[in-house]
Amino acid sequence: MKYFAGIDIGSTAIKISIVDENKNLMGFKISASGSMFYKYAQETLDALISELKLNNSDIAYIVATGYGRKLYKEADENISEITANATGARAAASEFGEIKTIINIGGQDSKAISLDSDGNVINFAMNDRCAAGTGKFLDVVALKLELEVDTLGEYHFKTQGTPLSVSSTCAVFAESEIIGLLGNNHSVADIVCGVHYSIAKRIVKLVKRVGVKEGIYFDGGPALNAGLVNAIENEIGQKIFVPQNPQITTSFGAAIIGVDSYNYENN
Ligand code: ADP
């Protein structure tokens, strides 16, 4: 059996997925990108290979994608994260039905990707100019509130009544706005909920640029935040599908593309 690795070197995290020749996901690993993308990607790949009790020689083909993909020189192929994301989403959401739109929120950018009925990318919109509507924004908020980013979702559901309005779109201004809200005795839960709705509103604007359709798939690290999922669903007015491991969709897609590229080159 041959195996195929997809390496997604994101601005915040490195995600690696390994699939077999039938495109089944065998395992994945996530680590921080840090400053040495190449070194950390290699260490993460080696660790995953050994966890799966494979050898490096079992990996027939490596596809790199994401922000730092060009730094991973050992890759057999480099592809855009939009293509890899679309391929991964389609495979991960087979039980959900047809995916028409992908919302991806990463560490430093957010995207809305529109797909045709064959899963091909027909349009996309991206925000990569500032931290608003990205994981970074959530990281800054969590730090200011002295919370771990993976607990924000719980706080979201502790709030009652209308969500607070958090109007700052810049992470730096949001920090001072949060200090002001705390000073006015607003609870941490109300602030977290307000932040989620402020991000959700920006994301819905992004989705509107490619067209709102039924069949929305949400991935990237912030999709692990159930509170943010709830805010986006309420703002967009429909249920959205979040896969079990939303952070690895793009690396999974890259690994799947690796199978096709390898077969094309070797047949
Ligand atoms: P990138 O591909 O740009 O590196 P990711 O899709 O890996 O970005 O997302 C990183 C972001 O995901 C972090 O900045 C953080 O806000 C968020 N995140 C990571 N893990 C969790 C978690 N367990 N719960 C909630 N949010 C998370």
Side-chain angles (χ1 to χ4, degrees):
M1 179 68 93
K2 291 187 173 59
Y3 297 90
F4 302 82
I7 303 187
D8 173 16
I9 305 185
S11 60
T12 308
I14 294 166
K15 282 76 65 175
I16 303 188
S17 295
I18 291 184
V19 301
D20 66 12
E21 52 200 36
N22 299 317
K23 303 180 179 174
N24 296 311
L25 180 65
M26 306 309 293
F28 64 87
K29 202 157 187 71
I30 301 171
S31 62
S33 301
S35 57
M36 291 184 282
F37 295 108
Y38 173 78
K39 181 170 180 277
Y40 297 149
Q42 194 54 48
E43 283 173 6
T44 309
L45 178 61
D46 289 343
L48 179 57
I49 288 172
S50 97
E51 260 175 39
L52 294 174
K53 304 204 174 1
L54 299 173
N55 294 309
N56 286 61
S57 57
D58 294 323
I59 308 297
Y61 201 90
I62 299 177
V63 176
T65 186
Y67 172 85
R69 65 180 181 268
K70 302 232 163 81
L71 299 169
Y72 194 81
K73 304 278 183 223
E74 270 77 12
D76 295 286
E77 188 179 349
N78 260 282
I79 54 165
S80 104
E81 58 263 43
I82 311 262
T83 310
N85 200 340
T87 302
R90 220 168 123 78
S94 44
E95 84 269 30
F96 175 66
E98 196 180 326
I99 302 289
K100 302 264 180 55
T101 310
I102 300 169
I103 296 171
N104 170 272
I105 307 186
Q108 289 182 12
D109 61 25
S110 42
K111 305 180 200 83
I113 305 169
S114 181
L115 306 177
D116 68 13
S117 50
D118 294 323
N120 300 310
V121 175
I122 45 177
N123 196 4
F124 75 93
M126 186 161 175
N127 157 39
D128 60 357
R129 299 248 158 85
C130 71
T134 71
K136 178 81 191 161
F137 194 82
L138 289 161
D139 297 343
V140 167
V141 168
L143 197 69
K144 196 72 234 163
L145 295 173
E146 298 185 40
L147 301 174
E148 294 297 328
V149 75
D150 60 0
T151 65
L152 293 177
E154 290 164 34
Y155 282 88
H156 178 94
F157 294 103
K158 289 184 186 154
T159 189
Q160 279 153 6
T162 318
L164 262 188
S165 162
V166 176
S167 57
S168 299
T169 51
C170 164
V172 179
F173 290 127
E175 240 185 299
S176 42
E177 189 174 358
I178 287 168
I179 296 168
L181 292 169
L182 286 169
N184 284 330
N185 281 329
H186 289 291
S187 72
V188 166
D190 285 353
I191 296 171
V192 168
C193 185
V195 165
H196 289 158
Y197 274 93
S198 118
I199 294 178
K201 286 188 170 74
R202 292 185 73 84
I203 294 300
V204 172
K205 275 193 201 150
L206 202 60
V207 176
K208 283 187 175 154
R209 279 166 52 192
V210 299
V212 179
K213 293 180 233 152
E214 291 278 326
I216 300 180
Y217 178 98
F218 177 23
D219 67 17
L224 289 161
N225 177 337
L228 181 61
V229 174
N230 172 261
I232 296 176
E233 285 183 336
N234 288 336
E235 284 298 317
I236 212 154
Q238 59 171 289
K239 287 294 277 178
I240 55 183
F241 178 75
V242 180
Q244 204 182 355
N245 301 299
Q247 216 171 350
I248 62 146
T249 303
T250 301
S251 63
F252 179 39
I256 290 172
I257 290 169
V259 178
D260 292 336
S261 297
Y262 178 87
N263 289 337
Y264 182 77
E265 285 178 18
N266 291 282
N267 287 316

